[in-house]
């Protein structure tokens, strides 16, 4: 009787053990866990890879001195007054910053849009109180007695030929405090109207 009872107990336990799948080794369990984690994160950027977005081709950075020289070289072309105002300030005042010239007077809008960084920098230099360093600006030009805003995107058109910046220039209002866009005669700052034949266009701080 005792032997029969032990045999029945042994068979019962053996059946219970074999009814379950064998446990996975620890390394296999961890690997499967990591795979599941990556699959779950893929929809939130976890497994999306390092794909770079295609951006617009960067425009050449213009130098103040080079564009000032080009402005002077285009002396047969018309001068167009340019300025800025704070964006979103619909009734705000326009602030005159300088002038642009373009070859055959054909590229006024592009001249403003492409030189907007130079115009903005000089505007902040001329009007540090009215235009804080982090201001968002609108650019424009003066036509008769009215200001016309310019969409800066006109300068980013891919159809514009390379080297277009050589066909226009910018001259800012003379800023005696910094020396930018100032004319000199014998070491002193003079007004533009004074004996231009002996003047040298330059500034003690204007970049080359």
């Amino acid at each position: 009787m005792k032997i029969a009872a032990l045999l029945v107990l042994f068979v019962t336990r053996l059946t219970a053990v074999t009814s379950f799948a064998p446990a996975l080794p620890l390394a296999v369990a961890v690997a499967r866990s990591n795979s599941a984690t990556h699959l779950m994160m893929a929809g939130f950027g976890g497994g999306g890879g390092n794909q770079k977005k295609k951006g617009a081709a960067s425009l050449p950075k213009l130098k103040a001195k080079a564009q000032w020289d080009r402005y002077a070289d285009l002396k047969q072309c018309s001068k167009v007054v340019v300025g800025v105002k704070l964006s979103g300030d619909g009734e705000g005042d326009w602030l005159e910053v300088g002038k642009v010239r373009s070859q055959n007077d054909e590229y006024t809008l592009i001249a403003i849009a492409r030189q907007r960084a130079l115009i903005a920098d000089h505007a902040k230099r001329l009007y540090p109180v009215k235009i804080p360093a982090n201001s968002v600006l609108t650019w424009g030009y003066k036509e008769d007695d009215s200001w016309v805003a310019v969409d800066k995107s006109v300068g980013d058109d891919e159809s514009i030929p390379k080297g277009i910046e050589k066909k226009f220039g910018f001259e800012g209002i003379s800023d005696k405090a910094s020396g930018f866009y100032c004319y000199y005669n014998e070491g002193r700052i003079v007004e533009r109207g004074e004996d231009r034949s002996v003047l040298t266009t330059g500034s003690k701080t204007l970049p080359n």
Side-chain angles (χ1 to χ4, degrees):
M1 293 294 292
K2 290 184 178 180
I3 295 175
L6 288 173
L7 182 60
V8 172
L9 179 62
F10 174 77
V11 172
T12 302
R13 288 186 177 181
L14 180 62
T15 303
V17 169
T18 56
S19 65
F20 293 95
L24 290 172
L26 180 59
V28 176
V30 171
R32 289 192 177 181
S33 176
N34 286 342
S35 298
T37 301
H38 283 299
L39 289 173
M40 291 174 63
M41 292 178 62
F44 299 91
N50 296 322
Q51 297 179 353
K52 294 183 179 179
K53 294 182 179 179
K54 290 185 178 180
S58 59
L59 298 176
K61 185 176 181 179
L62 304 182
K63 295 183 178 181
K65 182 61 168 60
Q67 294 309 114
W68 191 18
D69 289 341
R70 288 165 181 158
Y71 176 91
D73 292 339
L74 293 166
K75 57 187 176 182
Q76 302 301 324
C77 303
S78 301
K79 296 179 288 187
V80 179
V81 175
V82 296
V84 299
K85 72 171 184 174
L86 296 177
S87 292
D89 192 3
E91 301 301 322
D93 293 333
W94 283 91
L95 302 171
E96 183 177 340
V97 180
K99 299 178 179 69
V100 298
R101 284 175 175 155
S102 65
Q103 190 176 81
N104 300 322
D105 302 333
E106 295 179 356
Y107 307 105
T108 297
L109 299 183
I110 298 175
I112 296 171
R114 281 286 180 95
Q115 297 179 118
R116 62 184 183 269
L118 299 179
I119 297 171
D121 286 345
H122 197 52
K124 294 171 185 178
R125 193 176 295 118
L126 293 172
Y127 311 103
V129 176
K130 294 182 179 180
I131 305 179
N134 60 347
S135 297
V136 179
L137 301 175
T138 296
W139 289 261
Y141 65 96
K142 200 169 186 179
E143 188 174 60
D144 298 326
D145 293 328
S146 302
W147 285 92
V148 180
V150 173
D151 185 345
K152 63 183 181 181
S153 66
V154 300
D156 303 334
D157 194 319
E158 294 182 356
S159 65
I160 298 175
K162 292 182 178 180
I164 190 71
E165 64 275 2
K166 297 177 181 178
K167 296 184 178 182
F168 50 72
F170 166 70
E171 177 180 77
I173 295 173
S174 296
D175 179 39
K176 295 181 180 180
S178 65
F180 271 67
Y181 301 103
C182 292
Y183 289 88
Y184 293 85
N185 183 17
E186 297 181 353
R188 68 185 182 89
I189 297 176
V190 297
E191 298 298 326
R192 282 194 54 180
E194 296 183 33
D195 195 3
R196 292 295 303 279
S197 62
V198 299
L199 300 186
T200 57
T201 57
S203 168
K204 54 191 174 186
T205 57
L206 195 60
N208 291 321

